[in-house]
Amino acid sequence: MARRDVEFTGEDVTLRGWFYPAQGAGATAPVIVMAHGFSAVKEMYLDKYGEAFSAAGLNVLVFDNRNFGASDGEPRQEIDPIQQVRDYRHAITYAQSLPEVDRTKVGVWGSSYSGGHVLVVGAIDKRVGAVVSQVPLVSGYENIRSLVRSDFIGGFREMFDADREARGRGEAPAMVPVVDKDPLAPSALPTPDSYQWFTETHEKRAPSWRNEVTLRTVEMLSEYEPGAWISRIAPTPLLLLVARNDVLTPTELAIGAYENAREPKKLVILPGGHFDAYVDGFDQSSGPATDWFVQHLGA
């Protein structure tokens, strides 16, 4: 059975995505709930993960984050990480209502920014029976300190305050590029591999992606600490997939967070950098994730 388009309520907005039925399932089967990372839309390789999990006998619900892609929400291109965590929980509620789904067997998958979200969801939502976090952001504060020169950070704060005052006057939100060809130019993700992956993937498979986010998105990123929740995930099983040469969500930050997680947990080191998991290293990232879900949810 082919995937189908779905929509569901995030209470105040409609969220849209795809549902992949579990292949070979005679009755109900577990479900994996997944959304993409910072500014990305579902067409940016989440279909490949959905197909892989579906082929292993798992139902999959993939959705676009609010304010992005096919989902509703205003202001467009604004990422509130706490709201995105809530939307994962709305997606779980919707997934549990589907006739194909065994509502007692729910897994969550996230990557990069949403790799941080699933750490929070796994800690606070005990409907979740297994967590896979791929190349996660674990600390917004530490991440920005590692990417932005310290003498630039004060300038960002002044921009945040000016934007807050402008919004208070009813003006449109200030915007910033997600990526820029020049890693020293202002952008939310100032690494060369970010620029290459987003621009190439936009051209090849995701025309709806836009190279901008609100400036407040960057401020909220700097405040977000999903790694603080990692010790509370247990006894829900956690798989952490970390790229060996990750310069966007630095390898050592993710491994440091893993040390704070409790059993049952597993760490897999992926080859390459942050974005290799989606393309050249897809088998290496999707294989352990599939195995983890099948092991802990059944299929």
Side-chain angles (χ1 to χ4, degrees):
M1 290 163 59
R3 77 181 189 207
R4 63 179 186 261
D5 293 339
V6 294
E7 61 179 47
F8 57 96
T9 178
E11 293 191 345
D12 55 332
V13 302
T14 297
L15 303 173
R16 296 183 180 86
W18 301 319
F19 181 77
Y20 291 84
Q23 293 182 22
T28 58
V31 67
I32 311 305
V33 173
M34 51 192 296
H36 222 317
F38 192 95
S39 86
V41 292
K42 62 187 182 301
E43 289 80 7
M44 292 173 138
Y45 296 103
L46 292 197
D47 50 330
K48 290 178 64 177
Y49 289 96
E51 290 162 4
F53 298 154
S54 169
L58 301 158
N59 294 300
V60 187
L61 174 62
V62 180
F63 67 98
D64 274 330
N65 290 301
R66 73 169 58 207
N67 308 337
F68 289 86
S71 289
D72 291 348
E74 298 285 343
R76 299 305 288 175
Q77 305 299 116
E78 180 155 285
I79 306 170
D80 179 340
I82 305 304
Q83 186 65 65
Q84 290 190 348
V85 166
R86 287 200 195 103
D87 288 339
Y88 257 92
R89 304 184 76 186
H90 294 317
I92 291 169
T93 301
Y94 170 70
Q96 286 183 319
S97 75
L98 298 173
E100 298 96 333
V101 169
D102 180 343
R103 56 181 293 119
T104 68
K105 295 181 177 179
V106 176
V108 290
W109 179 100
S111 188
S112 195
Y113 213 22
S114 65
H117 300 346
V118 296
L119 300 178
V120 185
V121 175
I124 63 180
D125 196 324
K126 292 307 174 184
R127 296 175 297 177
V128 174
V131 178
V132 174
S133 173
Q134 175 176 292
V135 296
L137 174 114
V138 296
S139 168
Y141 175 80
E142 295 293 349
N143 219 94
I144 283 185
R145 301 289 300 189
S146 74
L147 292 180
V148 179
R149 271 177 38 183
S150 57
D151 56 331
F152 287 2
I153 288 175
F156 264 118
R157 292 206 184 98
E158 291 174 10
M159 291 164 63
F160 296 154
D161 293 343
D163 178 55
R164 193 174 293 277
E165 292 177 14
R167 282 183 179 227
R169 296 191 295 268
E171 296 173 23
M175 307 299 287
V176 63
V178 178
V179 293
D180 192 284
K181 191 169 188 176
D182 177 4
L184 296 179
S187 70
L189 305 179
T191 67
D193 62 338
S194 299
Y195 177 78
Q196 181 180 0
W197 186 81
F198 273 102
T199 53
E200 287 182 357
T201 309
H202 167 55
E203 289 170 9
K204 284 183 191 168
R205 13 171 62 242
S208 70
W209 179 77
R210 286 165 50 188
N211 186 20
E212 61 176 3
V213 288
T214 64
L215 181 63
R216 185 159 72 179
T217 290
V218 182
E219 184 178 27
M220 288 188 279
L221 163 65
S222 74
E223 300 163 356
Y224 186 42
E225 296 294 322
W229 295 88
I230 200 166
S231 65
R232 304 186 197 177
I233 295 172
T236 305
L238 168 66
L239 173 64
L240 205 65
L241 301 166
V242 179
R244 181 175 298 277
N245 302 311
D246 198 326
V247 296
L248 182 61
T249 55
T251 307
E252 64 273 14
L253 295 181
I255 292 176
Y258 178 79
E259 293 302 310
N260 296 326
R262 296 173 180 163
E263 299 289 348
K265 63 179 181 176
K266 183 178 181 180
L267 176 67
V268 172
I269 305 296
L270 302 174
H274 186 85
F275 296 97
D276 289 313
Y278 305 107
V279 193
D280 295 341
F282 174 75
D283 292 342
Q284 290 97 323
S285 67
S286 62
T290 303
D291 294 344
W292 191 253
F293 287 135
V294 170
Q295 176 186 347
H296 292 289
L297 300 176

